[in-house]
Amino acid sequence: MQFEFTRRRSVRSPVTDAPTFRVGRLAAAGHTDRSGRDLSHLIDRSYNYHSSRELHWHLADRLGLAPGAVTLRETMAA
């Protein structure tokens, strides 16, 4: 499954002191029948992700898919 997400700034991690981000929007991508469909309800948008890789693994786990079956790409907010 292919997904696109937009990033919102968030706080610095109290554990690692690294910047984190929240997902502004998560959408289906790559399939003309579902492209752009908002899927933000699949994740907790208040969670502070440390990297897009963490979001990638979270989506795979949430959907019960192998991580290799999930493709994730960041887009700019409109």
PDB file of all heavy atoms in Angstrom, residues 40-75:
ATOM      1  N   SER A  40      -6.356   9.641   7.607  1.00  0.00           N
ATOM      2  CA  SER A  40      -5.784  10.122   8.868  1.00  0.00           C
ATOM      3  C   SER A  40      -6.374   9.433  10.087  1.00  0.00           C
ATOM      4  O   SER A  40      -5.724   9.348  11.133  1.00  0.00           O
ATOM      5  CB  SER A  40      -5.976  11.637   8.986  1.00  0.00           C
ATOM      6  OG  SER A  40      -5.344  12.297   7.912  1.00  0.00           O
ATOM      7  N   HIS A  41      -7.582   8.916   9.950  1.00  0.00           N
ATOM      8  CA  HIS A  41      -8.236   8.243  11.071  1.00  0.00           C
ATOM      9  C   HIS A  41      -7.533   6.931  11.456  1.00  0.00           C
ATOM     10  O   HIS A  41      -7.791   6.387  12.530  1.00  0.00           O
ATOM     11  CB  HIS A  41      -9.703   7.964  10.731  1.00  0.00           C
ATOM     12  CG  HIS A  41      -9.868   7.017   9.590  1.00  0.00           C
ATOM     13  ND1 HIS A  41      -9.762   7.430   8.277  1.00  0.00           N
ATOM     14  CD2 HIS A  41     -10.106   5.689   9.557  1.00  0.00           C
ATOM     15  CE1 HIS A  41      -9.943   6.386   7.482  1.00  0.00           C
ATOM     16  NE2 HIS A  41     -10.153   5.313   8.237  1.00  0.00           N
ATOM     17  N   LEU A  42      -6.635   6.436  10.602  1.00  0.00           N
ATOM     18  CA  LEU A  42      -5.945   5.182  10.896  1.00  0.00           C
ATOM     19  C   LEU A  42      -4.856   5.323  11.952  1.00  0.00           C
ATOM     20  O   LEU A  42      -4.391   4.320  12.496  1.00  0.00           O
ATOM     21  CB  LEU A  42      -5.302   4.619   9.623  1.00  0.00           C
ATOM     22  CG  LEU A  42      -6.263   4.159   8.535  1.00  0.00           C
ATOM     23  CD1 LEU A  42      -5.476   3.697   7.318  1.00  0.00           C
ATOM     24  CD2 LEU A  42      -7.166   3.049   9.056  1.00  0.00           C
ATOM     25  N   ILE A  43      -4.451   6.553  12.236  1.00  0.00           N
ATOM     26  CA  ILE A  43      -3.356   6.771  13.192  1.00  0.00           C
ATOM     27  C   ILE A  43      -3.773   7.804  14.231  1.00  0.00           C
ATOM     28  O   ILE A  43      -4.743   8.524  14.051  1.00  0.00           O
ATOM     29  CB  ILE A  43      -2.071   7.253  12.478  1.00  0.00           C
ATOM     30  CG1 ILE A  43      -2.330   8.557  11.739  1.00  0.00           C
ATOM     31  CG2 ILE A  43      -1.534   6.180  11.536  1.00  0.00           C
ATOM     32  CD1 ILE A  43      -1.072   9.223  11.236  1.00  0.00           C
ATOM     33  N   ASP A  44      -3.007   7.869  15.294  1.00  0.00           N
ATOM     34  CA  ASP A  44      -3.198   8.879  16.334  1.00  0.00           C
ATOM     35  C   ASP A  44      -2.411  10.116  15.901  1.00  0.00           C
ATOM     36  O   ASP A  44      -1.192  10.134  15.962  1.00  0.00           O
ATOM     37  CB  ASP A  44      -2.682   8.351  17.669  1.00  0.00           C
ATOM     38  CG  ASP A  44      -2.782   9.362  18.795  1.00  0.00           C
ATOM     39  OD1 ASP A  44      -3.253  10.500  18.554  1.00  0.00           O
ATOM     40  OD2 ASP A  44      -2.382   9.024  19.917  1.00  0.00           O
ATOM     41  N   ARG A  45      -3.111  11.149  15.439  1.00  0.00           N
ATOM     42  CA  ARG A  45      -2.438  12.333  14.923  1.00  0.00           C
ATOM     43  C   ARG A  45      -1.826  13.194  16.015  1.00  0.00           C
ATOM     44  O   ARG A  45      -1.127  14.153  15.725  1.00  0.00           O
ATOM     45  CB  ARG A  45      -3.394  13.145  14.073  1.00  0.00           C
ATOM     46  CG  ARG A  45      -3.732  12.396  12.780  1.00  0.00           C
ATOM     47  CD  ARG A  45      -4.724  13.092  11.914  1.00  0.00           C
ATOM     48  NE  ARG A  45      -4.346  14.465  11.651  1.00  0.00           N
ATOM     49  CZ  ARG A  45      -5.218  15.390  11.288  1.00  0.00           C
ATOM     50  NH1 ARG A  45      -6.484  15.086  11.147  1.00  0.00           N
ATOM     51  NH2 ARG A  45      -4.817  16.611  11.057  1.00  0.00           N
ATOM     52  N   SER A  46      -2.027  12.835  17.266  1.00  0.00           N
ATOM     53  CA  SER A  46      -1.405  13.591  18.357  1.00  0.00           C
ATOM     54  C   SER A  46      -0.060  12.981  18.770  1.00  0.00           C
ATOM     55  O   SER A  46       0.635  13.532  19.612  1.00  0.00           O
ATOM     56  CB  SER A  46      -2.336  13.657  19.566  1.00  0.00           C
ATOM     57  OG  SER A  46      -2.490  12.373  20.146  1.00  0.00           O
ATOM     58  N   TYR A  47       0.303  11.855  18.153  1.00  0.00           N
ATOM     59  CA  TYR A  47       1.563  11.185  18.483  1.00  0.00           C
ATOM     60  C   TYR A  47       2.741  11.930  17.863  1.00  0.00           C
ATOM     61  O   TYR A  47       2.676  12.370  16.718  1.00  0.00           O
ATOM     62  CB  TYR A  47       1.536   9.737  17.983  1.00  0.00           C
ATOM     63  CG  TYR A  47       2.785   8.968  18.309  1.00  0.00           C
ATOM     64  CD1 TYR A  47       2.985   8.447  19.581  1.00  0.00           C
ATOM     65  CD2 TYR A  47       3.781   8.786  17.363  1.00  0.00           C
ATOM     66  CE1 TYR A  47       4.142   7.746  19.891  1.00  0.00           C
ATOM     67  CE2 TYR A  47       4.941   8.088  17.667  1.00  0.00           C
ATOM     68  CZ  TYR A  47       5.104   7.581  18.940  1.00  0.00           C
ATOM     69  OH  TYR A  47       6.255   6.900  19.247  1.00  0.00           O
ATOM     70  N   ASN A  48       3.817  12.070  18.611  1.00  0.00           N
ATOM     71  CA  ASN A  48       5.024  12.746  18.132  1.00  0.00           C
ATOM     72  C   ASN A  48       6.002  11.725  17.562  1.00  0.00           C
ATOM     73  O   ASN A  48       6.683  11.030  18.308  1.00  0.00           O
ATOM     74  CB  ASN A  48       5.684  13.527  19.274  1.00  0.00           C
ATOM     75  CG  ASN A  48       4.808  14.640  19.778  1.00  0.00           C
ATOM     76  OD1 ASN A  48       4.209  15.365  18.993  1.00  0.00           O
ATOM     77  ND2 ASN A  48       4.712  14.774  21.077  1.00  0.00           N
ATOM     78  N   TYR A  49       6.071  11.651  16.231  1.00  0.00           N
ATOM     79  CA  TYR A  49       6.986  10.725  15.554  1.00  0.00           C
ATOM     80  C   TYR A  49       8.388  11.306  15.524  1.00  0.00           C
ATOM     81  O   TYR A  49       8.578  12.499  15.344  1.00  0.00           O
ATOM     82  CB  TYR A  49       6.528  10.461  14.113  1.00  0.00           C
ATOM     83  CG  TYR A  49       5.278   9.624  14.050  1.00  0.00           C
ATOM     84  CD1 TYR A  49       4.029  10.218  13.944  1.00  0.00           C
ATOM     85  CD2 TYR A  49       5.342   8.248  14.115  1.00  0.00           C
ATOM     86  CE1 TYR A  49       2.870   9.454  13.894  1.00  0.00           C
ATOM     87  CE2 TYR A  49       4.202   7.466  14.070  1.00  0.00           C
ATOM     88  CZ  TYR A  49       2.974   8.083  13.966  1.00  0.00           C
ATOM     89  OH  TYR A  49       1.840   7.320  13.935  1.00  0.00           O
ATOM     90  N   HIS A  50       9.376  10.446  15.646  1.00  0.00           N
ATOM     91  CA  HIS A  50      10.772  10.867  15.577  1.00  0.00           C
ATOM     92  C   HIS A  50      11.298  10.838  14.152  1.00  0.00           C
ATOM     93  O   HIS A  50      12.267  11.516  13.829  1.00  0.00           O
ATOM     94  CB  HIS A  50      11.648   9.981  16.468  1.00  0.00           C
ATOM     95  CG  HIS A  50      11.454  10.260  17.922  1.00  0.00           C
ATOM     96  ND1 HIS A  50      10.417   9.729  18.650  1.00  0.00           N
ATOM     97  CD2 HIS A  50      12.157  11.037  18.766  1.00  0.00           C
ATOM     98  CE1 HIS A  50      10.501  10.158  19.893  1.00  0.00           C
ATOM     99  NE2 HIS A  50      11.546  10.956  19.989  1.00  0.00           N
ATOM    100  N   SER A  51      10.675  10.024  13.293  1.00  0.00           N
ATOM    101  CA  SER A  51      11.134   9.922  11.911  1.00  0.00           C
ATOM    102  C   SER A  51      10.027   9.351  11.037  1.00  0.00           C
ATOM    103  O   SER A  51       9.071   8.747  11.536  1.00  0.00           O
ATOM    104  CB  SER A  51      12.357   9.003  11.829  1.00  0.00           C
ATOM    105  OG  SER A  51      11.983   7.669  12.152  1.00  0.00           O
ATOM    106  N   SER A  52      10.179   9.533   9.731  1.00  0.00           N
ATOM    107  CA  SER A  52       9.218   8.932   8.810  1.00  0.00           C
ATOM    108  C   SER A  52       9.326   7.406   8.854  1.00  0.00           C
ATOM    109  O   SER A  52       8.354   6.700   8.606  1.00  0.00           O
ATOM    110  CB  SER A  52       9.424   9.458   7.392  1.00  0.00           C
ATOM    111  OG  SER A  52      10.722   9.194   6.947  1.00  0.00           O
ATOM    112  N   ARG A  53      10.501   6.911   9.201  1.00  0.00           N
ATOM    113  CA  ARG A  53      10.670   5.460   9.341  1.00  0.00           C
ATOM    114  C   ARG A  53       9.789   4.915  10.471  1.00  0.00           C
ATOM    115  O   ARG A  53       9.191   3.847  10.353  1.00  0.00           O
ATOM    116  CB  ARG A  53      12.138   5.135   9.607  1.00  0.00           C
ATOM    117  CG  ARG A  53      12.403   3.666   9.674  1.00  0.00           C
ATOM    118  CD  ARG A  53      13.867   3.380   9.837  1.00  0.00           C
ATOM    119  NE  ARG A  53      14.070   1.955   9.935  1.00  0.00           N
ATOM    120  CZ  ARG A  53      15.227   1.384  10.042  1.00  0.00           C
ATOM    121  NH1 ARG A  53      16.319   2.111  10.057  1.00  0.00           N
ATOM    122  NH2 ARG A  53      15.327   0.087  10.139  1.00  0.00           N
ATOM    123  N   GLU A  54       9.707   5.644  11.566  1.00  0.00           N
ATOM    124  CA  GLU A  54       8.839   5.228  12.669  1.00  0.00           C
ATOM    125  C   GLU A  54       7.380   5.206  12.220  1.00  0.00           C
ATOM    126  O   GLU A  54       6.636   4.271  12.533  1.00  0.00           O
ATOM    127  CB  GLU A  54       9.020   6.169  13.868  1.00  0.00           C
ATOM    128  CG  GLU A  54       8.188   5.766  15.063  1.00  0.00           C
ATOM    129  CD  GLU A  54       8.316   6.711  16.243  1.00  0.00           C
ATOM    130  OE1 GLU A  54       8.852   7.834  16.091  1.00  0.00           O
ATOM    131  OE2 GLU A  54       7.866   6.314  17.332  1.00  0.00           O
ATOM    132  N   LEU A  55       6.963   6.220  11.462  1.00  0.00           N
ATOM    133  CA  LEU A  55       5.604   6.249  10.927  1.00  0.00           C
ATOM    134  C   LEU A  55       5.381   5.063   9.988  1.00  0.00           C
ATOM    135  O   LEU A  55       4.334   4.422  10.031  1.00  0.00           O
ATOM    136  CB  LEU A  55       5.349   7.573  10.199  1.00  0.00           C
ATOM    137  CG  LEU A  55       4.028   7.700   9.451  1.00  0.00           C
ATOM    138  CD1 LEU A  55       2.831   7.508  10.388  1.00  0.00           C
ATOM    139  CD2 LEU A  55       3.955   9.062   8.756  1.00  0.00           C
ATOM    140  N   HIS A  56       6.347   4.760   9.168  1.00  0.00           N
ATOM    141  CA  HIS A  56       6.270   3.630   8.241  1.00  0.00           C
ATOM    142  C   HIS A  56       6.002   2.322   8.992  1.00  0.00           C
ATOM    143  O   HIS A  56       5.101   1.556   8.652  1.00  0.00           O
ATOM    144  CB  HIS A  56       7.585   3.558   7.452  1.00  0.00           C
ATOM    145  CG  HIS A  56       7.665   2.420   6.507  1.00  0.00           C
ATOM    146  ND1 HIS A  56       8.298   1.246   6.813  1.00  0.00           N
ATOM    147  CD2 HIS A  56       7.185   2.264   5.255  1.00  0.00           C
ATOM    148  CE1 HIS A  56       8.209   0.416   5.798  1.00  0.00           C
ATOM    149  NE2 HIS A  56       7.542   1.008   4.837  1.00  0.00           N
ATOM    150  N   TRP A  57       6.781   2.064  10.037  1.00  0.00           N
ATOM    151  CA  TRP A  57       6.607   0.842  10.830  1.00  0.00           C
ATOM    152  C   TRP A  57       5.272   0.848  11.563  1.00  0.00           C
ATOM    153  O   TRP A  57       4.612  -0.190  11.681  1.00  0.00           O
ATOM    154  CB  TRP A  57       7.765   0.682  11.820  1.00  0.00           C
ATOM    155  CG  TRP A  57       8.975   0.151  11.142  1.00  0.00           C
ATOM    156  CD1 TRP A  57       9.906   0.871  10.437  1.00  0.00           C
ATOM    157  CD2 TRP A  57       9.384  -1.207  11.060  1.00  0.00           C
ATOM    158  NE1 TRP A  57      10.867   0.025   9.941  1.00  0.00           N
ATOM    159  CE2 TRP A  57      10.580  -1.246  10.302  1.00  0.00           C
ATOM    160  CE3 TRP A  57       8.865  -2.386  11.555  1.00  0.00           C
ATOM    161  CZ2 TRP A  57      11.249  -2.443  10.030  1.00  0.00           C
ATOM    162  CZ3 TRP A  57       9.540  -3.572  11.290  1.00  0.00           C
ATOM    163  CH2 TRP A  57      10.723  -3.584  10.532  1.00  0.00           C
ATOM    164  N   HIS A  58       4.856   1.999  12.044  1.00  0.00           N
ATOM    165  CA  HIS A  58       3.572   2.114  12.736  1.00  0.00           C
ATOM    166  C   HIS A  58       2.433   1.751  11.781  1.00  0.00           C
ATOM    167  O   HIS A  58       1.517   1.014  12.149  1.00  0.00           O
ATOM    168  CB  HIS A  58       3.403   3.539  13.270  1.00  0.00           C
ATOM    169  CG  HIS A  58       2.138   3.753  14.023  1.00  0.00           C
ATOM    170  ND1 HIS A  58       2.013   4.725  14.979  1.00  0.00           N
ATOM    171  CD2 HIS A  58       0.927   3.156  13.987  1.00  0.00           C
ATOM    172  CE1 HIS A  58       0.785   4.707  15.468  1.00  0.00           C
ATOM    173  NE2 HIS A  58       0.117   3.758  14.880  1.00  0.00           N
ATOM    174  N   LEU A  59       2.474   2.283  10.555  1.00  0.00           N
ATOM    175  CA  LEU A  59       1.430   1.967   9.577  1.00  0.00           C
ATOM    176  C   LEU A  59       1.400   0.476   9.248  1.00  0.00           C
ATOM    177  O   LEU A  59       0.327  -0.123   9.188  1.00  0.00           O
ATOM    178  CB  LEU A  59       1.650   2.762   8.291  1.00  0.00           C
ATOM    179  CG  LEU A  59       1.181   4.198   8.312  1.00  0.00           C
ATOM    180  CD1 LEU A  59       1.651   4.925   7.061  1.00  0.00           C
ATOM    181  CD2 LEU A  59      -0.329   4.263   8.430  1.00  0.00           C
ATOM    182  N   ALA A  60       2.563  -0.104   9.027  1.00  0.00           N
ATOM    183  CA  ALA A  60       2.622  -1.538   8.719  1.00  0.00           C
ATOM    184  C   ALA A  60       2.008  -2.353   9.855  1.00  0.00           C
ATOM    185  O   ALA A  60       1.200  -3.257   9.619  1.00  0.00           O
ATOM    186  CB  ALA A  60       4.069  -1.959   8.466  1.00  0.00           C
ATOM    187  N   ASP A  61       2.365  -2.022  11.085  1.00  0.00           N
ATOM    188  CA  ASP A  61       1.833  -2.731  12.244  1.00  0.00           C
ATOM    189  C   ASP A  61       0.327  -2.530  12.360  1.00  0.00           C
ATOM    190  O   ASP A  61      -0.427  -3.475  12.574  1.00  0.00           O
ATOM    191  CB  ASP A  61       2.540  -2.251  13.508  1.00  0.00           C
ATOM    192  CG  ASP A  61       2.059  -2.981  14.739  1.00  0.00           C
ATOM    193  OD1 ASP A  61       2.207  -4.219  14.807  1.00  0.00           O
ATOM    194  OD2 ASP A  61       1.520  -2.306  15.647  1.00  0.00           O
ATOM    195  N   ARG A  62      -0.106  -1.300  12.199  1.00  0.00           N
ATOM    196  CA  ARG A  62      -1.528  -0.957  12.335  1.00  0.00           C
ATOM    197  C   ARG A  62      -2.392  -1.696  11.306  1.00  0.00           C
ATOM    198  O   ARG A  62      -3.508  -2.096  11.594  1.00  0.00           O
ATOM    199  CB  ARG A  62      -1.690   0.554  12.180  1.00  0.00           C
ATOM    200  CG  ARG A  62      -3.066   1.076  12.231  1.00  0.00           C
ATOM    201  CD  ARG A  62      -3.525   1.217  13.637  1.00  0.00           C
ATOM    202  NE  ARG A  62      -4.851   1.804  13.630  1.00  0.00           N
ATOM    203  CZ  ARG A  62      -5.568   1.978  14.688  1.00  0.00           C
ATOM    204  NH1 ARG A  62      -5.073   1.648  15.848  1.00  0.00           N
ATOM    205  NH2 ARG A  62      -6.750   2.493  14.622  1.00  0.00           N
ATOM    206  N   LEU A  63      -1.841  -1.863  10.087  1.00  0.00           N
ATOM    207  CA  LEU A  63      -2.586  -2.496   9.007  1.00  0.00           C
ATOM    208  C   LEU A  63      -2.337  -3.994   8.905  1.00  0.00           C
ATOM    209  O   LEU A  63      -2.914  -4.676   8.055  1.00  0.00           O
ATOM    210  CB  LEU A  63      -2.238  -1.826   7.675  1.00  0.00           C
ATOM    211  CG  LEU A  63      -2.593  -0.348   7.592  1.00  0.00           C
ATOM    212  CD1 LEU A  63      -2.032   0.261   6.322  1.00  0.00           C
ATOM    213  CD2 LEU A  63      -4.094  -0.146   7.674  1.00  0.00           C
ATOM    214  N   GLY A  64      -1.449  -4.526   9.755  1.00  0.00           N
ATOM    215  CA  GLY A  64      -1.152  -5.952   9.731  1.00  0.00           C
ATOM    216  C   GLY A  64      -0.396  -6.372   8.478  1.00  0.00           C
ATOM    217  O   GLY A  64      -0.581  -7.481   7.985  1.00  0.00           O
ATOM    218  N   LEU A  65       0.459  -5.483   7.969  1.00  0.00           N
ATOM    219  CA  LEU A  65       1.225  -5.749   6.757  1.00  0.00           C
ATOM    220  C   LEU A  65       2.705  -5.873   7.077  1.00  0.00           C
ATOM    221  O   LEU A  65       3.184  -5.329   8.066  1.00  0.00           O
ATOM    222  CB  LEU A  65       1.039  -4.607   5.752  1.00  0.00           C
ATOM    223  CG  LEU A  65      -0.379  -4.340   5.269  1.00  0.00           C
ATOM    224  CD1 LEU A  65      -0.421  -3.037   4.477  1.00  0.00           C
ATOM    225  CD2 LEU A  65      -0.868  -5.501   4.413  1.00  0.00           C
ATOM    226  N   ALA A  66       3.418  -6.544   6.203  1.00  0.00           N
ATOM    227  CA  ALA A  66       4.873  -6.564   6.306  1.00  0.00           C
ATOM    228  C   ALA A  66       5.384  -5.157   5.983  1.00  0.00           C
ATOM    229  O   ALA A  66       4.820  -4.495   5.109  1.00  0.00           O
ATOM    230  CB  ALA A  66       5.455  -7.570   5.333  1.00  0.00           C
ATOM    231  N   PRO A  67       6.413  -4.684   6.675  1.00  0.00           N
ATOM    232  CA  PRO A  67       6.923  -3.339   6.398  1.00  0.00           C
ATOM    233  C   PRO A  67       7.279  -3.111   4.929  1.00  0.00           C
ATOM    234  O   PRO A  67       7.099  -2.013   4.405  1.00  0.00           O
ATOM    235  CB  PRO A  67       8.149  -3.232   7.291  1.00  0.00           C
ATOM    236  CG  PRO A  67       7.859  -4.148   8.427  1.00  0.00           C
ATOM    237  CD  PRO A  67       7.103  -5.299   7.811  1.00  0.00           C
ATOM    238  N   GLY A  68       7.725  -4.154   4.229  1.00  0.00           N
ATOM    239  CA  GLY A  68       8.055  -4.014   2.828  1.00  0.00           C
ATOM    240  C   GLY A  68       6.858  -3.788   1.922  1.00  0.00           C
ATOM    241  O   GLY A  68       6.987  -3.368   0.781  1.00  0.00           O
ATOM    242  N   ALA A  69       5.660  -4.057   2.440  1.00  0.00           N
ATOM    243  CA  ALA A  69       4.434  -3.877   1.655  1.00  0.00           C
ATOM    244  C   ALA A  69       3.890  -2.457   1.757  1.00  0.00           C
ATOM    245  O   ALA A  69       2.917  -2.111   1.095  1.00  0.00           O
ATOM    246  CB  ALA A  69       3.374  -4.865   2.119  1.00  0.00           C
ATOM    247  N   VAL A  70       4.517  -1.633   2.594  1.00  0.00           N
ATOM    248  CA  VAL A  70       4.066  -0.251   2.803  1.00  0.00           C
ATOM    249  C   VAL A  70       5.081   0.709   2.189  1.00  0.00           C
ATOM    250  O   VAL A  70       6.273   0.589   2.421  1.00  0.00           O
ATOM    251  CB  VAL A  70       3.904   0.054   4.310  1.00  0.00           C
ATOM    252  CG1 VAL A  70       3.569   1.511   4.533  1.00  0.00           C
ATOM    253  CG2 VAL A  70       2.845  -0.845   4.924  1.00  0.00           C
ATOM    254  N   THR A  71       4.585   1.628   1.385  1.00  0.00           N
ATOM    255  CA  THR A  71       5.414   2.685   0.822  1.00  0.00           C
ATOM    256  C   THR A  71       4.890   4.002   1.358  1.00  0.00           C
ATOM    257  O   THR A  71       3.687   4.253   1.359  1.00  0.00           O
ATOM    258  CB  THR A  71       5.322   2.689  -0.720  1.00  0.00           C
ATOM    259  OG1 THR A  71       5.700   1.416  -1.210  1.00  0.00           O
ATOM    260  CG2 THR A  71       6.219   3.746  -1.318  1.00  0.00           C
ATOM    261  N   LEU A  72       5.822   4.839   1.814  1.00  0.00           N
ATOM    262  CA  LEU A  72       5.446   6.099   2.454  1.00  0.00           C
ATOM    263  C   LEU A  72       6.248   7.226   1.826  1.00  0.00           C
ATOM    264  O   LEU A  72       7.457   7.111   1.639  1.00  0.00           O
ATOM    265  CB  LEU A  72       5.739   6.012   3.955  1.00  0.00           C
ATOM    266  CG  LEU A  72       5.323   7.171   4.833  1.00  0.00           C
ATOM    267  CD1 LEU A  72       3.817   7.349   4.833  1.00  0.00           C
ATOM    268  CD2 LEU A  72       5.818   6.931   6.257  1.00  0.00           C
ATOM    269  N   ARG A  73       5.554   8.323   1.515  1.00  0.00           N
ATOM    270  CA  ARG A  73       6.225   9.473   0.927  1.00  0.00           C
ATOM    271  C   ARG A  73       5.673  10.743   1.561  1.00  0.00           C
ATOM    272  O   ARG A  73       4.477  10.871   1.781  1.00  0.00           O
ATOM    273  CB  ARG A  73       6.018   9.401  -0.569  1.00  0.00           C
ATOM    274  CG  ARG A  73       5.975  10.682  -1.303  1.00  0.00           C
ATOM    275  CD  ARG A  73       5.841  10.467  -2.780  1.00  0.00           C
ATOM    276  NE  ARG A  73       4.438  10.631  -3.132  1.00  0.00           N
ATOM    277  CZ  ARG A  73       3.941  10.406  -4.311  1.00  0.00           C
ATOM    278  NH1 ARG A  73       4.707   9.929  -5.266  1.00  0.00           N
ATOM    279  NH2 ARG A  73       2.683  10.608  -4.555  1.00  0.00           N
ATOM    280  N   GLU A  74       6.568  11.656   1.840  1.00  0.00           N
ATOM    281  CA  GLU A  74       6.172  12.935   2.443  1.00  0.00           C
ATOM    282  C   GLU A  74       5.823  13.920   1.343  1.00  0.00           C
ATOM    283  O   GLU A  74       6.497  14.013   0.324  1.00  0.00           O
ATOM    284  CB  GLU A  74       7.303  13.495   3.294  1.00  0.00           C
ATOM    285  CG  GLU A  74       6.917  14.767   4.011  1.00  0.00           C
ATOM    286  CD  GLU A  74       7.979  15.254   4.969  1.00  0.00           C
ATOM    287  OE1 GLU A  74       9.004  14.585   5.126  1.00  0.00           O
ATOM    288  OE2 GLU A  74       7.759  16.327   5.551  1.00  0.00           O
ATOM    289  N   THR A  75       4.744  14.670   1.541  1.00  0.00           N
ATOM    290  CA  THR A  75       4.351  15.730   0.623  1.00  0.00           C
ATOM    291  C   THR A  75       4.276  17.036   1.385  1.00  0.00           C
ATOM    292  O   THR A  75       4.170  17.049   2.617  1.00  0.00           O
ATOM    293  CB  THR A  75       2.974  15.440  -0.022  1.00  0.00           C
ATOM    294  OG1 THR A  75       1.990  15.354   1.004  1.00  0.00           O
ATOM    295  CG2 THR A  75       2.996  14.145  -0.819  1.00  0.00           C
TER     296      THR A  75
END
